[in-house]
Amino acid sequence: MSTLLPPPAEIAKIPVDWVEERSGLISFGKFMLFRNVPKDISWLQTLGSALITVFILQATTGIVLAMYYQPDPDTAWNTIKFITDDATLGWLVRGMHKWGSSVMVVLLFLHMGRTFLFGAYKYPREMTWITGAIIFILVMGMSFTGYLLVFDERAYWATVVGVNINGTAPILGPTLSYILMVGPEISTHTLSRFYALHMLVLPSAIGGLIALHLWLVIRLGVTSPPWSRMQSNEGDV
Amino acid sequence: MPRLTTRERRERYEREYSFQKRHGKPFFPNAVFHDTIVSLVVVALIMGMTILWHAQFGGVPGEGTAERIGGLLGPAYEAKADPGVLGYDPRPDWYFFFLFELLRIFKTPELLIVGSIIIPTIWMVLLIGWPFIDRNPDRRLSRRPIALALGVTVPIVLLALTFYGSKAPGAAGAVSNEPGAAAFAAGSCSTCHTLANAGTAGNVGPVLDQAMPDYARVLDLVTNGQGGMPAFKATYSEDEIKCLAGYVATWAGATGTTPGPNAASAKDVYPAACAKAGGLFAGTAASAAGP
Ligand code: HEM
């Protein structure tokens, strides 16, 4: 056996090649990074990636909060108090999650506004818009379910009112309120249900839809701005 | 622009887009650079808000379940939720203000569902289905007058609703001096019910001036609850419930100082029960300094 090792750069390539050979992930990554985008895309087209950043931020801070939080009407508020007052940098984690949610809603509106004004939902990007629109509605669901979790006065009464608004719908309304609250009043079960929705059901649905949304964006490419002068002169219709 | 067949549309799109890509620039580092800057700005903004929020916190309250106050960006947390608390004025987070305001506009029981269900549903259907509604293939705004008009009006309407929603007065308005009025207005009843005599404009439950229930009915509902109406037997004492029931039966549908049509059903207990219940129940508006 030879004692001669390949140069370091070659060694570093070994795991990369190993992964590439088995999954093709490396060439996919390269394709993603080095694919061409229209020359004149603008700053307005960075809002989507900012949303990914905020989503990741919400997920990370949310996981940390979940390590301390207890979804029980007797203790929920106390755990929030503990996170805010006592836990090391707890206020920072909770605050980033809280304000991150507001910023995310604003960014959603801006991103939606930009794709609307660019006409970016037109052929062939209809599905990109539709997945986005569903994400938007689910994010509003995140806000609604997250609001109760603090279990202070505001959280409690806003949720009572919110659930009862649902209840005004004909036929399905009262049933829907009942399902949301798990009974006629906000109770232990309501809190567990909101918690399960807020940290399991909705985030995984949103995560999955974001993946689909991004896949569509990569597959179809981002639109050039409608004011783009980049027209092929191979004859316009 | 003339309507195109599906095939023409595809070919045209592919021709244009492949041209733009051929003459484009690689995603990395160009777009990635811009994306990173904007992401950093956004994270800095969130962190800045958090730090400002935290910097203005008051001291940790001594009492176990009290609010810890804050400044510009609101308290650290409000007092622990207490379903029986007197005088809370519920308010959603700001991004639901537009809905809150819609509900205030359509607050009569017949119209409530317009604001609560019909408009939001139409809005969601339009949102999801929009690519199928707007069939105009052109993307230049100058050739999309309808989309442009919508793109300007919708944000203005949403902003206006959000603005007025944020300034919406609390549920409690002018309270009369009748015994029980202050308790009704300051208590959670005001959150859900409109009752002119108590000056409340809640719109979750029925408008009591229109329902005009008699004493037995109010007593039953407040004690045991029903549907969206919570039971209060664990919250209020028997006298307090009798006082509220008597008050509602007497003053629902009242005109000025003339009691409503069901006043007689409560005459045996009201206002005697209120005096017995004492405190806010016996008191007048002056003692009901709710938030
Ligand atoms: C968490 C939520 C979302 C994330 C992470 C996200 C992410 C992205 C990203 C990274 C892009 C690439 C171009 C850009 O940044 O502008 C994009 C494009 C797009 N998004 Fe979103 N988006 C979200 C929500 C939405 C919503 C609510 C809508 C509309 C209802 C929407 C509609 C679109 C459309 C139509 C495009 C294609 C734009 C083009 O090709 O120029 N997205 N999205």
Side-chain angles (χ1 to χ4, degrees):
Chain A
M1 262 226 254
S2 156
T3 51
L4 275 178
L5 283 173
E10 294 287 310
I11 296 181
K13 269 194 71 185
I14 293 172
V16 174
D17 288 343
W18 190 91
V19 170
E20 169 63 14
E21 193 179 339
R22 281 157 188 80
S23 65
L25 279 176
I26 307 295
S27 49
F28 177 71
K30 280 192 183 146
F31 158 75
M32 285 242 319
L33 280 181
F34 300 109
R35 76 203 144 98
N36 268 10
V37 292
K39 203 179 200 152
D40 46 6
I41 57 166
S42 79
W43 281 95
L44 290 173
Q45 280 155 296
T46 59
L47 294 165
S49 64
L51 274 165
I52 301 176
T53 308
V54 180
F55 181 76
I56 295 172
L57 184 75
Q58 292 301 92
T60 330
T61 49
I63 290 170
V64 177
L65 290 175
M67 291 174 179
Y68 294 88
Y69 180 77
Q70 291 171 6
D72 177 288
D74 290 329
T75 50
W77 184 86
N78 303 68
T79 57
I80 294 286
K81 182 179 165 67
F82 174 80
I83 293 168
T84 319
D85 296 345
D86 301 323
T88 310
L89 291 184
W91 61 269
L92 186 67
V93 177
R94 177 172 167 233
M96 303 251 330
H97 196 77
K98 176 183 167 73
W99 297 109
S101 76
S102 284
V103 168
M104 184 157 182
V105 174
V106 173
L107 283 175
L108 276 173
F109 273 106
L110 294 177
H111 176 64
M112 217 155 70
R114 113 72 189 137
T115 52
F116 182 88
L117 291 179
F118 275 36
Y121 53 83
K122 300 192 175 202
Y123 175 85
R125 299 189 179 82
E126 294 93 331
M127 256 181 88
T128 322
W129 173 274
I130 294 168
T131 48
I134 299 173
I135 294 175
F136 177 81
I137 293 168
L138 294 180
V139 170
M140 292 310 256
M142 285 295 272
S143 311
F144 180 64
T145 50
Y147 207 54
L148 176 67
L149 300 181
V150 178
F151 223 68
D152 59 5
E153 291 286 10
R154 167 185 273 257
Y156 181 86
W157 286 108
T159 308
V160 170
V161 174
V163 172
N164 284 322
I165 288 169
N166 261 309
T168 60
I171 310 163
L172 276 183
T175 320
L176 201 71
S177 302
Y178 198 90
I179 293 175
L180 269 178
M181 297 225 254
V182 208
E185 280 175 65
I186 291 189
S187 64
T188 316
H189 301 299
T190 320
L191 198 52
S192 320
R193 183 154 300 184
F194 272 49
Y195 189 50
L197 288 173
H198 187 79
M199 67 170 268
L200 293 171
V201 182
L202 294 172
S204 23
I206 294 172
L209 282 167
I210 290 181
L212 181 58
H213 192 76
L214 291 182
W215 165 242
L216 291 169
V217 170
I218 292 167
R219 185 186 145 91
L220 302 169
V222 287
T223 353
S224 61
W227 57 81
S228 171
R229 287 176 189 287
M230 295 282 298
Q231 298 276 325
S232 73
N233 33 25
E234 294 156 28
D236 203 350
V237 185
Chain B
M1 198 181 288
R3 295 273 164 209
L4 307 168
T5 66
T6 320
R7 204 172 116 238
E8 278 167 350
R9 181 172 70 166
R10 191 179 68 233
E11 284 171 352
R12 190 185 128 89
Y13 166 78
E14 279 168 358
R15 189 171 63 236
E16 285 305 325
Y17 202 72
S18 67
F19 176 84
Q20 287 180 347
K21 277 208 138 177
R22 240 180 300 125
H23 296 269
K25 56 187 183 186
F27 178 64
F28 180 86
N30 307 279
V32 171
F33 174 65
H34 289 178
D35 284 348
T36 311
I37 291 186
V38 172
S39 285
L40 286 177
V41 169
V42 166
V43 173
L45 176 75
I46 295 173
M47 205 176 271
M49 287 170 86
T50 306
I51 290 170
L52 175 65
W53 176 63
H54 179 250
Q56 296 184 319
F57 283 0
V60 176
E63 194 208 328
T65 57
E67 167 175 7
R68 181 172 181 191
I69 57 159
L72 209 58
L73 292 183
Y77 41 77
E78 290 193 352
K80 185 170 178 169
D82 173 359
V85 77
L86 289 180
Y88 194 78
D89 155 32
R91 219 168 250 284
D93 216 346
W94 65 266
Y95 28 76
F96 286 117
F97 279 166
F98 71 97
L99 213 91
F100 193 57
E101 183 62 17
L102 266 184
L103 292 175
R104 282 172 17 90
I105 295 175
F106 299 102
K107 76 164 150 225
T108 63
E110 307 81 58
L111 283 180
L112 181 58
I113 133 165
V114 175
S116 68
I117 307 293
I118 298 179
I119 295 182
T121 306
I122 294 180
W123 194 75
M124 280 197 281
V125 170
L126 282 182
L127 178 70
I128 296 179
W130 180 247
F132 304 109
I133 298 167
D134 177 9
R135 306 303 294 166
N136 174 358
D138 211 307
R139 296 202 297 116
R140 273 160 295 186
L141 274 177
S142 54
R143 310 235 183 128
R144 298 165 61 205
I146 300 174
L148 181 60
L150 269 176
V152 174
T153 345
V154 171
I156 291 180
V157 170
L158 279 180
L159 283 175
L161 285 174
T162 303
F163 176 74
Y164 288 111
S166 73
K167 303 187 50 150
V175 189
S176 78
N177 287 330
E178 309 305 335
F184 185 97
S188 58
C189 315
S190 60
T191 305
C192 300
H193 291 289
T194 297
L195 178 58
N197 187 271
T200 70
N203 52 22
V204 179
V207 174
L208 295 176
D209 290 313
Q210 289 171 6
M212 294 188 285
D214 64 12
Y215 174 73
R217 167 131 177 101
V218 196
L219 190 71
D220 176 43
L221 263 98
V222 176
T223 313
N224 303 313
Q226 174 190 316
M229 161 91 188
F232 286 88
K233 60 170 173 272
T235 314
Y236 295 132
S237 73
E238 209 175 301
D239 284 328
E240 288 170 343
I241 293 182
K242 281 186 184 163
C243 166
L244 280 173
Y247 167 73
V248 173
T250 308
W251 295 104
T255 31
T257 50
T258 314
N262 277 321
S265 68
K267 68 177 186 315
D268 294 341
V269 276
Y270 182 82
C274 294
K276 268 213 268 173
L280 202 56
F281 292 83
T284 57
S287 54

